[in-house]
Amino acid sequence: METYLEILPVLSFKNNLIEINGFRHFVTTALMLHDDIDIRTLSVLWIDPLNTDIDIGDVLNTWVLYAVKRKVKELVFSVIVDKPQSFVFPECVYNCEWLTDLHLYLGSMYHSTLRLPESIHLSNLKSVKFEALHLNEVLMNEFFTSCPALESVTIKDCIMGDLEIISHTLKYFTLAYSSFNGIVSNVASSVLLFAPNLEVFDIICHPSQFCRVIRTKSLVKAGVKIIVQEKRNNPYTYSELPGESKDVYAKAMMLMLEKFHNVKDLTLSSRFIQDCFAEQPTDLYCDEINFPLENIEDYWKPGLTSPCEPLHLKVVELVGVYGSVNELRFIEVFLKYAVKLEKVSFYWNRDGPANLMEIIMKFEEKLRSLPRASSRVSTLFY
């Protein structure tokens, strides 16, 4: 047993069945008993719905010092409380040469503040995940430049300013905001992502949170879901936005899409499609209007700065489909230009109108009449 612990000591603690004070002493004792054994993983889930009068930050700092002393590689803290917190971890954790994974979820209904030091150097950090945090814009940008081996970045429900990530090692990037979050349109301004070796890109955001992606020739999989209005996110909410905002958002979406021309697996929400075609009718179903198929590029090309036919695309998924004209226009572009396309999947929104099945049948009928560059492509409906 001692040999096994020396090879792979993983410590995971959850207080869901333990009283808070007892849990604190239990974890501290366990760490003290590992004083002569290196710790590979320290994972702590702290749930305190009663908001007991305990300085959580001070307790976590004590555990961090033990973990860093024992050459911790993976540090995972999940704190679920119903009050805002402020966390200032010891600087040694931001200069730990052994640390490879840092995952911090430090808030619940409120965002906690993570105060980063000015000096950061995580030479071996490969994965970072920040969730439900209030982050300083300047220090966050410095954080990413101080992680030369970074491969995976996940940011969920965080409040921050403009974010800039420049990394030649980054392979996976996720930026997401929960649909129930009432301040989703204010949590971030823009993201600049320069990652030439990025393989997976996944984003759930408000259209104002423009993500500018630069040089992603290695991109294999991309997913984009747009949230317009949190409590009623359906095709009609986009029409409620000011006309000027629609135009700005549409151009931002098209610029983002332009970077995906080499991607092999692309998943888009129907909201993304409505944003791309800002000047066209967004509430018409495919059986309510006739449009000239030969002019389909007129709805596609104007928003782009350069040609971007999706030549390498193999799989396309449309989620939350309503059977609108814009959805049909959008998918026609991929059918017409993607010579390697193998599969197109439509996931229908079952909360549509009463005659949804009739709309689906007409949508399928129009879809079959569209020209296809690939002879192997199949269309699936869910």
Side-chain angles (χ1 to χ4, degrees):
M1 180 62 68
E2 291 182 359
T3 302
Y4 174 75
L5 289 175
E6 290 175 1
I7 296 175
L8 187 63
V10 176
L11 304 180
S12 181
F13 303 99
K14 301 178 181 179
N15 77 313
N16 49 337
L17 298 177
I18 306 175
E19 184 268 335
I20 290 295
N21 278 307
F23 175 72
R24 177 181 58 174
H25 293 303
F26 177 79
V27 176
T28 302
T29 301
L31 290 172
M32 291 177 63
L33 293 176
H34 280 73
D35 194 49
D36 295 327
I37 303 173
D38 287 350
I39 299 175
R40 173 176 176 176
T41 301
L42 174 59
S43 177
V44 177
L45 172 61
W46 180 301
I47 303 176
D48 186 10
L50 300 179
N51 295 324
T52 53
D53 190 19
I54 295 179
D55 190 337
I56 302 175
D58 187 57
V59 175
L60 294 185
N61 286 350
T62 300
W63 297 345
V64 165
L65 291 173
Y66 273 110
V68 172
K69 181 181 178 182
R70 301 319 313 157
K71 301 179 180 180
V72 66
K73 291 181 172 61
E74 301 176 10
L75 193 59
V76 181
F77 284 155
S78 299
V79 176
I80 302 176
V81 293
D82 289 332
K83 59 181 179 182
Q85 303 283 327
S86 181
F87 294 90
V88 184
F89 291 119
E91 290 195 15
C92 62
V93 73
Y94 298 106
N95 293 276
C96 180
E97 61 179 301
W98 303 282
L99 194 64
T100 60
D101 297 78
L102 178 63
H103 297 178
L104 301 177
Y105 172 69
L106 303 177
S108 183
M109 295 301 294
Y110 299 93
H111 288 77
S112 295
T113 300
L114 178 63
R115 303 190 182 279
L116 298 172
E118 294 184 0
S119 176
I120 300 174
H121 183 64
L122 295 167
S123 57
N124 291 306
L125 189 69
K126 293 184 178 181
S127 175
V128 61
K129 182 177 181 179
F130 293 140
E131 189 168 359
L133 292 173
H134 192 290
L135 303 168
N136 179 278
E137 172 185 349
V138 176
L139 294 180
M140 273 294 293
N141 291 333
E142 293 182 0
F143 176 89
F144 291 115
T145 60
S146 303
C147 305
L150 200 59
E151 295 181 358
S152 176
V153 172
T154 299
I155 302 174
K156 291 187 175 182
D157 293 326
C158 289
I159 299 176
M160 57 188 178
D162 294 343
L163 186 64
E164 182 177 295
I165 301 178
I166 300 176
S167 174
H168 289 269
T169 57
L170 191 64
K171 296 180 180 180
Y172 310 96
F173 178 77
T174 299
L175 178 68
Y177 297 101
S178 299
S179 59
F180 63 81
N181 189 338
I183 56 173
V184 68
S185 60
N186 299 318
V187 291
S189 298
S190 66
V191 177
L192 173 62
L193 184 62
F194 180 89
N197 295 305
L198 191 69
E199 297 178 4
V200 178
F201 175 89
D202 195 13
I203 184 171
I204 303 175
C205 67
H206 187 273
S208 65
Q209 294 155 345
F210 174 52
C211 186
R212 186 182 179 192
V213 186
I214 301 176
R215 289 187 62 185
T216 54
K217 294 183 179 180
S218 301
L219 198 61
V220 175
K221 184 176 182 179
V224 181
K225 181 178 180 181
I226 300 300
I227 299 173
V228 175
Q229 194 175 63
E230 294 74 28
K231 294 183 179 180
R232 192 161 59 88
N233 186 28
N234 58 53
Y236 304 103
T237 55
Y238 187 74
S239 61
E240 299 171 7
L241 295 173
E244 183 177 346
S245 297
K246 289 183 184 180
D247 184 60
V248 172
Y249 297 162
K251 291 179 179 179
M253 296 302 101
M254 295 301 285
L255 287 173
M256 186 189 301
L257 187 62
E258 182 180 4
K259 301 302 178 181
F260 298 156
H261 64 279
N262 285 323
V263 72
K264 295 181 179 180
D265 190 336
L266 179 63
T267 301
L268 303 174
S269 68
S270 59
R271 177 80 283 129
F272 182 95
I273 297 172
Q274 305 295 356
D275 291 351
C276 285
F277 297 102
E279 298 180 357
Q280 308 305 322
T282 61
D283 56 353
L284 292 175
Y285 291 99
C286 63
D287 61 330
E288 296 178 314
I289 187 172
N290 293 318
F291 55 92
L293 298 180
E294 64 273 12
N295 296 329
I296 191 68
E297 289 87 350
D298 294 341
Y299 302 103
W300 175 268
K301 298 292 185 181
L304 303 177
T305 58
S306 61
C308 66
E309 284 76 13
L311 300 179
H312 302 282
L313 196 64
K314 292 185 177 181
V315 179
V316 176
E317 292 183 358
L318 269 67
V319 181
V321 177
Y322 277 80
S324 69
V325 173
N326 286 347
E327 290 164 345
L328 198 60
R329 286 177 175 141
F330 188 81
I331 201 62
E332 183 184 5
V333 177
F334 295 105
L335 290 174
K336 187 171 183 178
Y337 291 108
V339 294
K340 296 184 179 181
L341 192 61
E342 297 177 0
K343 182 173 68 174
V344 179
S345 299
F346 299 88
Y347 293 84
W348 290 88
N349 190 318
R350 299 299 174 178
D351 296 328
N355 63 333
L356 178 61
M357 291 306 300
E358 181 182 349
I359 293 174
I360 292 177
M361 293 178 63
K362 292 181 178 180
F363 188 92
E364 292 185 47
E365 180 181 353
K366 289 183 178 292
L367 186 66
R368 286 194 296 269
S369 67
L370 300 179
R372 306 186 180 198
S374 172
S375 59
R376 298 178 298 173
V377 62
S378 60
T379 54
L380 304 175
F381 297 87
Y382 299 95

